[in-house]
Amino acid sequence: MTNQEALTDYVLRLGDSALILGQRLCEWCGRAPAVEEEMALMNVGLDLIGQARNWMEYAVELQGQGQDADQLAFTRDAHQYRNLLLVEQPNGNYADTCARQYFYDAWHYFTLKALCDSSDARVAEIAAKGLKEVTYHLRRSSEWIKRLGDGTEQSHAKMQAAIDEIWTYTGEAFIADAVDEQMQAAGIGVDLALIHEQWRAHVEATLQEATLTCPDMQAYMQQGSKQGIHTERLGFILAEMQFLQRAYPHSTW
Amino acid sequence: MAQAHDNAPDHPVHYQVPELTDSLEASLRSADLITTDRGRTLDFHGRRPSLDEVWALLAQVADPEVPVVSVVDLGIVRELVWAKEVLQVYITPTYSGCPATELIESEIKLALMQAGIAQVSMHQRISPAWTTDWITAQGRAKLKAYGIAPPEGSASKAALFGQVQEVTCPHCNSQNTQRISDFGSTACKSLYKCNACLEPFEYFKCI
């Protein structure tokens, strides 16, 4: 695989995760438990979709096939998507949404922070732009973990159950494949072992403050998204997200 | 690939918008919130204006979501360059997902064309990333007069990571305020409440 092919895949992974989580968060529109939460979820979702566009615009330039970012988002099928399994998991109850968001935000924050030093100038500038926004995302989701974990007996139980439920989807991000290794060697991508260290420290400190039990870091972890193998959840997301372009190809408004 | 940005000016504004007088403040308070082209007075038909004149024109183009400030006040317009008869405009979006970015681009282009600049080429520049440090002093004063607390301090890491400085109430100037939510009606604002005058207000958050 050439560096350019590996970089295209690497950039798509970042963009796809942001896009799918953005789409997931928007499912809360009109259903959030409080108006402030509704605005926060939509704001975070919008930030992520904007970041996804930045990554995808770069990906189509690298591919050089004359596509645009919309075509990438709306005409690829599930096996062509490279988002983490974590972000395609359902919204569940509010604790489930908060757990998914927190584990993603912590990974996202340290990843973008490291990518600010990427040897690829475009990657570095997209990361630097996103990092400012993701800093706020991480702050908010950390606060919710603590508030629910160290809240009532019921909120504590639900938060703990949410963390235990989603845990096996959190490890995949740190398992390097050939693309990750090639990008790290080229100075473009991040050192996943280092990101894992930082993520683990943040998670342990946050869960401890939230009076929650941290699950086993050595537990079996689901994986496959880097090769396009997803849970069945992704198909349902795409069916809704891509409906218009599938039913009325090339329509614009 | 990425463009080299070595020539990017540190600060975009070498045009000074007028002093915020009482009468200007009064007119801002009664400003029409929908119309974004109010008060545009410059006309360049039949000649090529200087860059200073173009800056002055863009200082009259309102931000569509916070129309009390202009796209120049917000530091969104980064650089203007004449390439022969084509005006090159470099803008930096505020947030990655800001839904107003395209609208801002077209508002700028429209204003330039209405004023008689026929050939305009718009460019987005995301590096260096937009920061609230670029909001001008005039812009901050206008935000406050409009009831939005301007960003406090500079976009240091500390400000981003929760060690928020005191946010001053734009209505009564009390520092006894409290954050309701980090995320407000637009990506750039948080929700606050003043414990002194009890009014809710928005805070233009520091990034």
Side-chain angles (χ1 to χ4, degrees):
Chain A
M1 195 184 281
T2 65
N3 256 5
Q4 175 139 339
E5 287 165 347
L7 176 57
T8 308
D9 222 35
Y10 194 81
V11 166
L12 264 183
R13 291 175 186 183
L14 291 159
D16 285 351
S17 285
L19 178 66
I20 297 301
L21 186 53
Q23 178 73 13
R24 267 287 187 235
L25 290 174
C26 294
E27 290 172 14
W28 275 107
C29 192
R31 299 181 182 139
V35 70
E36 290 83 0
E37 283 312 293
E38 174 120 352
M39 287 200 292
L41 291 166
M42 297 311 113
N43 266 290
V44 173
L46 202 55
D47 284 344
L48 291 176
I49 289 171
Q51 292 170 22
R53 184 168 65 174
N54 287 341
W55 291 121
M56 286 184 179
E57 281 172 353
Y58 188 29
V60 291
E61 283 177 40
L62 289 165
Q63 285 174 337
Q65 293 166 356
Q67 282 197 311
D68 64 22
D70 283 336
Q71 284 170 297
L72 271 190
F74 295 117
T75 63
R76 276 179 306 150
D77 209 344
H79 68 278
Q80 295 164 303
Y81 261 83
R82 294 289 180 267
N83 60 280
L84 295 169
L85 299 177
L86 174 70
V87 299
E88 68 199 38
Q89 298 313 306
N91 285 338
N93 64 33
Y94 211 62
D96 293 321
T97 288
C98 290
R100 183 188 62 201
Q101 192 67 35
Y102 169 65
F103 291 134
Y104 173 80
D105 288 344
W107 165 80
H108 202 197
Y109 174 79
F110 291 116
T111 299
L112 292 186
K113 204 172 172 192
L115 285 178
C116 290
D117 298 323
S118 172
S119 64
D120 184 282
R122 182 77 169 270
V123 168
E125 63 186 34
I126 297 173
K129 175 94 191 139
L131 181 63
K132 290 183 176 227
E133 295 153 6
V134 171
T135 305
Y136 276 101
H137 302 176
L138 177 59
R139 183 168 114 190
R140 175 177 172 279
S141 57
S142 307
E143 283 178 2
W144 269 109
I145 299 290
K146 293 171 198 168
R147 197 172 301 175
L148 294 177
D150 194 14
T152 66
E153 208 171 297
Q154 188 185 27
S155 73
H156 177 91
K158 285 195 168 182
M159 196 69 243
Q160 185 70 57
I163 285 169
D164 295 344
E165 177 71 22
I166 206 150
W167 187 251
T168 57
Y169 294 107
T170 60
E172 180 191 38
F174 310 109
I175 302 170
D177 72 347
V179 169
D180 289 318
E181 284 164 7
Q182 189 172 342
M183 285 296 95
Q184 190 193 339
I188 297 172
V190 300
D191 176 355
L192 283 180
L194 182 68
I195 303 293
H196 198 186
E197 268 313 292
Q198 295 169 323
W199 181 87
R200 188 196 313 233
H202 199 282
V203 166
E204 283 173 349
T206 304
L207 295 191
Q208 188 179 12
E209 200 181 333
T211 72
L212 293 161
T213 307
C214 188
D216 180 9
M217 287 282 179
Q218 309 301 323
Y220 171 77
M221 290 294 167
Q222 301 282 353
Q223 52 178 309
S225 75
K226 291 179 183 181
Q227 284 70 46
I229 302 163
H230 291 275
T231 65
E232 75 274 23
R233 315 281 191 190
L234 183 61
F236 290 94
I237 300 175
L238 296 183
E240 183 172 0
M241 188 176 91
Q242 299 180 335
F243 170 79
L244 206 75
Q245 280 302 318
R246 299 289 191 189
Y248 307 96
H250 313 301
S251 60
T252 56
W253 63 91
Chain B
M1 288 304 294
Q3 300 158 318
H5 301 320
D6 297 336
N7 297 329
D10 226 19
H11 201 276
V13 185
H14 50 266
Y15 169 77
Q16 289 300 313
V17 284
E19 280 293 308
L20 188 73
T21 58
D22 287 349
S23 62
L24 177 57
E25 190 175 323
S27 76
L28 290 172
R29 280 182 184 281
S30 62
D32 178 358
L33 300 190
I34 307 295
T35 309
T36 51
D37 64 351
R38 65 186 184 305
R40 265 183 234 152
T41 51
L42 297 166
D43 190 279
F44 310 129
H45 281 90
R47 66 188 180 93
R48 197 182 93 165
S50 71
L51 289 179
D52 276 352
E53 288 176 297
V54 181
W55 278 110
L57 173 75
L58 294 183
Q60 297 174 347
V61 177
D63 176 78
E65 282 188 345
V66 190
V68 72
V69 283
S70 77
V71 293
V72 174
D73 287 328
L74 285 176
I76 292 172
V77 183
R78 304 307 302 152
E79 195 180 357
L80 299 172
V81 182
W82 278 113
K84 296 192 175 152
E85 295 311 307
V86 183
L87 181 69
Q88 311 280 336
V89 181
Y90 293 88
I91 66 167
T92 296
T94 53
Y95 281 72
S96 299
C98 178
T101 303
E102 278 83 11
L103 184 58
I104 289 172
E105 245 183 82
S106 57
E107 290 278 344
I108 289 175
K109 201 164 177 180
L110 185 68
L112 294 169
M113 295 179 102
Q114 280 175 342
I117 302 175
Q119 298 187 67
V120 178
S121 173
M122 303 291 298
H123 307 273
Q124 269 197 28
R125 180 184 277 174
I126 69 165
S127 179
W130 183 81
T131 162
T132 39
D133 294 352
W134 292 344
I135 300 179
T136 61
Q138 292 298 325
R140 286 162 203 265
K142 289 185 201 168
L143 284 173
K144 184 166 185 288
Y146 189 61
I148 298 173
E152 304 255 357
S154 75
S156 65
K157 288 227 160 63
L160 276 177
F161 233 131
Q163 284 79 48
V164 185
Q165 287 136 318
E166 299 293 316
V167 172
T168 306
C169 172
H171 305 297
C172 74
N173 293 319
S174 167
Q175 293 204 328
N176 181 12
T177 60
Q178 173 188 348
R179 194 180 82 212
I180 305 290
S181 173
D182 251 341
F183 295 85
S185 57
T186 63
C188 50
K189 289 174 288 181
S190 326
L191 294 177
Y192 272 73
K193 167 176 113 173
C194 177
N195 293 328
C197 71
L198 302 181
E199 287 291 327
F201 65 92
E202 290 187 301
Y203 168 58
F204 208 106
K205 64 194 182 201
C206 209
I207 70 163

